């Protein structure tokens, strides 16, 4: 019965119900089921900002009822720079008591369905040391550009190779990279959940950290993090002091997805090493629709020797991850992912390239669940291989 109501109402039905004073009915009929893919807005003839309105309704719901104890606990932890390093080390040390090795990561020995972790779900391995601990940016005497790099939680604690690949690629292109001593989550999970208080705490710490850098650009390998800095931070602080608003605006203007930076801001060094793979590309929702970056990743892939590129059908269809959405609605996120896996299989690709660590995590899980052997890589990792890194 509930699913029928959701199908009838849709995103705009939820918005209109709340607009007419029935927030409770809006919540009951799927307010939390928006994955944030932005497809409804781009498909709309008048570009109606339905996702933004749904996020605003979530803020109203949180202001009235709270965000719930699980999310409140998690978001509170994410505001503290010391928390995730400790959690990562505990997971590395004691994780094998609760987790076991799987083909593409780890699976749980126990079932935690309320946290979106059924036993069969493949999750990434925690790194023994965070990216921030192992990162060694190349020293460059006369850099062509100076950039800051925001790694984000996934890269910092599980996909450290992606961070190292980015440092390698930028070093090969004579770009100086600056890293902070510590940072916190970008806040996007809190923002899309309607928890503005925790989001502002995280955002303010990141703004103070990265605004202190003398840089030409602030680069990202995670488009969700980039959208937080570029689009959401100015909204969060729209009613704060003019000085803070100016700082936020200036930082937002420097935000660049790494594909964007490599294609537009420098003359990319042509790679020499062959990468003999058949590659297809998945467009992450935030990158393609929020940031408008679609051709740049493909242009980089086309420059890599040995790659046979095959475009997949509906490349910009959501993979089903949606950050915390896949924790709250894992079964639904898998159903969304299944259609995407079929289009990947149809390309006969050996490697699925994308530009989002979250999408990478979700595709690996999907491949494992369906016995598929494709590898998943960020565009930067493939380019790094073509520059000679293994």
């Amino acid at each position: 019965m509930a699913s029928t109501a959701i199908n009838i109402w849709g995103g705009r039905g939820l918005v209109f119900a709340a607009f007419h004073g029935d927030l409770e009915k809006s919540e009951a009929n799927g307010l939390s089921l928006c994955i944030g893919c932005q497809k409804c807005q781009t498909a709309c003839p008048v570009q109606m900002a339905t996702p933004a309105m749904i996020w605003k309704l979530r803020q109203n719901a949180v202001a009235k009822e709270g965000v719930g104890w699980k999310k409140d606990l998690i978001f509170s932890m994410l505001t503290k720079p010391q928390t995730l390093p400790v959690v990562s080390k505990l997971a590395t040390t004691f994780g094998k008591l609760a987790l076991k090795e799987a083909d593409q990561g780890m699976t749980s020995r126990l079932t935690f369905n309320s946290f979106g972790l059924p036993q069969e779900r493949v999750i990434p391995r925690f790194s023994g040391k965070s990216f921030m601990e192992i990162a060694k940016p190349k020293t460059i005497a006369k850099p062509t550009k100076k950039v800051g790099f925001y790694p984000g939680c996934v890269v910092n604690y599980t996909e450290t190779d992606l961070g190292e690949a980015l440092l390698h690629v930028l070093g090969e292109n004579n770009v100086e990279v600056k890293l902070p001593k510590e940072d916190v989550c970008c806040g996007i999970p809190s923002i899309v959940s309607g928890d503005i208080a925790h989001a502002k705490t995280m955002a303010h710490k990141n703004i103070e950290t990265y605004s202190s850098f003398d840089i030409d650009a602030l680069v990202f390998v995670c488009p969700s993090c980039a959208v937080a800095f570029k689009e959401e931070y100015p909204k969060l602080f729209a009613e704060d002091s003019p000085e803070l608003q100016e700082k936020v605006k200036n930082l937002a203007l420097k935000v660049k997805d790494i594909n964007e930076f490599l294609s537009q801001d420098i003359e990319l060094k042509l790679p020499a090493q062959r990468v003999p793979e058949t590659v297809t590309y998945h467009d992450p929702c935030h990158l393609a629709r929020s940031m408008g970056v679609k051709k740049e990743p493909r242009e980089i892939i086309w420059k890599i020797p040995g790659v046979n590129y095959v475009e997949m059908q509906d490349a910009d269809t959501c993979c089903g991850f949606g950050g915390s959405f896949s924790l709250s609605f894992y079964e639904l996120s898998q159903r969304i992912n299944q259609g995407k896996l079929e289009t990947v299989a149809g390309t006969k690709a050996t490697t699925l390239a994308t530009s989002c660590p979250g999408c990478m995590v979700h595709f690996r899980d999907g491949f494992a669940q369906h016995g598929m052997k494709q590898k998943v890589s960020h565009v930067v990792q493939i380019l790094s291989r073509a520059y000679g890194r293994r």
Side-chain angles (χ1 to χ4, degrees):
M1 189 70 182
S3 61
T4 304
I6 290 166
N7 290 334
I8 292 171
W9 283 50
R12 286 163 196 169
L14 299 174
V15 171
F16 293 144
F19 179 77
H20 289 291
D22 208 341
L23 181 59
E24 289 80 5
K25 190 172 288 186
S26 184
E27 290 179 77
N29 283 277
L31 182 58
S32 59
L33 281 172
C34 171
I35 198 170
C37 71
Q38 315 282 321
K39 194 74 177 262
C40 60
Q41 182 170 342
T42 55
C44 176
V46 295
Q47 301 288 290
M48 184 175 174
T50 305
M53 289 187 280
I54 289 176
W55 289 8
K56 183 63 179 175
L57 292 182
R58 289 177 182 172
Q59 292 174 27
N60 295 343
V62 169
K64 185 177 179 181
E65 302 170 2
V67 73
W69 72 267
K70 285 185 289 187
K71 285 188 176 182
D72 186 61
L73 175 63
I74 293 169
F75 296 159
S76 179
M77 291 170 61
L78 292 177
T79 64
K80 301 173 178 64
Q82 304 83 7
T83 302
L84 282 181
V86 172
V87 171
S88 178
K89 284 179 171 54
L90 288 173
T92 303
T93 305
F94 300 107
K96 290 184 179 179
L97 297 175
L99 303 171
K100 57 185 178 181
E101 288 290 328
D103 186 34
Q104 304 233 24
M106 307 282 285
T107 58
S108 178
R109 298 182 189 275
L110 305 171
T111 297
F112 300 100
N113 285 328
S114 63
F115 284 91
L117 293 174
Q119 281 185 286
E120 70 274 12
R121 184 170 193 174
V122 176
I123 60 174
R125 298 176 183 90
F126 276 90
S127 303
K129 291 186 177 181
S130 71
F131 168 73
M132 291 294 203
E133 291 177 289
I134 63 176
K136 294 180 180 178
K138 184 178 180 180
T139 301
I140 300 173
K142 295 182 179 179
T144 55
K145 295 280 185 179
K146 295 180 181 180
V147 302
F149 172 46
Y150 179 83
C153 301
V154 177
V155 169
N156 216 356
Y157 301 105
T158 64
E159 301 288 335
T160 55
D161 180 78
L162 174 50
E164 292 186 88
L166 174 129
L167 295 182
H168 177 235
V169 165
L170 291 177
E172 288 291 309
N173 283 278
N174 207 33
V175 176
E176 180 182 318
V177 182
K178 297 186 177 184
L179 296 170
K181 292 181 180 179
E182 61 180 23
D183 63 6
V184 295
C185 174
C186 68
I188 199 73
S190 295
I191 293 168
V192 299
S193 297
D195 182 6
I196 298 305
H198 282 128
K200 288 190 75 169
T201 300
M202 294 180 233
H204 193 266
K205 289 179 179 177
N206 286 324
I207 291 161
E208 292 302 319
T209 297
Y210 289 95
S211 292
S212 67
F213 288 2
D214 177 21
I215 52 176
D216 300 301
L218 179 58
V219 298
F220 295 77
V221 290
C222 175
S224 297
C225 297
V227 167
F229 276 70
K230 189 179 183 69
E231 297 182 3
E232 299 304 324
Y233 286 8
K235 297 176 190 174
L236 287 177
F237 298 99
E239 297 180 6
D240 282 77
S241 69
E243 293 78 15
L244 180 55
Q245 289 184 49
E246 187 68 16
K247 188 179 288 188
V248 174
K249 178 184 175 183
N250 289 338
L251 187 62
L253 290 172
K254 293 183 179 181
V255 168
K256 290 273 185 174
D257 170 72
I258 187 59
N259 296 285
E260 202 177 12
F261 178 81
L262 294 174
S263 298
Q264 299 176 6
D265 290 43
I266 62 172
E267 186 174 339
L268 185 68
K269 172 185 171 182
L270 293 178
Q273 300 265 350
R274 287 180 58 80
V275 179
E277 299 279 353
T278 299
V279 177
T280 192
Y281 180 76
H282 160 71
D283 287 291
C285 297
H286 276 149
L287 187 62
R289 283 186 277 278
S290 294
M291 299 185 72
V293 177
K294 295 188 73 170
K295 63 181 177 63
E296 291 86 351
R298 291 168 171 81
E299 289 173 348
I300 292 171
I301 294 170
W302 294 336
K303 291 177 180 177
I304 298 174
V307 165
N308 172 35
Y309 180 76
V310 181
E311 183 74 13
M312 77 167 79
Q313 184 180 358
D314 300 323
D316 67 349
T317 297
C318 181
C319 74
F321 181 60
S324 58
F325 176 89
S326 70
L327 296 177
S328 300
F329 305 103
Y330 177 61
E331 184 180 346
L332 180 55
S333 74
Q334 273 196 313
R335 285 162 54 192
I336 297 170
N337 188 239
Q338 186 171 348
K340 196 76 189 191
L341 296 178
E342 292 170 2
T343 62
V344 172
T347 67
K348 308 297 183 186
T350 55
T351 296
L352 171 64
T354 188
S355 297
C356 171
C359 296
M360 291 168 63
V361 168
H362 201 52
F363 272 114
R364 286 201 197 107
D365 178 38
F367 288 159
Q369 304 302 333
H370 291 80
M372 297 172 67
K373 301 300 181 184
Q374 286 88 343
K375 295 179 290 186
V376 186
S377 295
H378 196 288
V379 172
V380 166
Q381 289 173 305
I382 302 173
L383 181 58
S384 180
R385 285 176 59 195
Y387 282 147
R389 180 176 175 269
R390 289 290 180 261

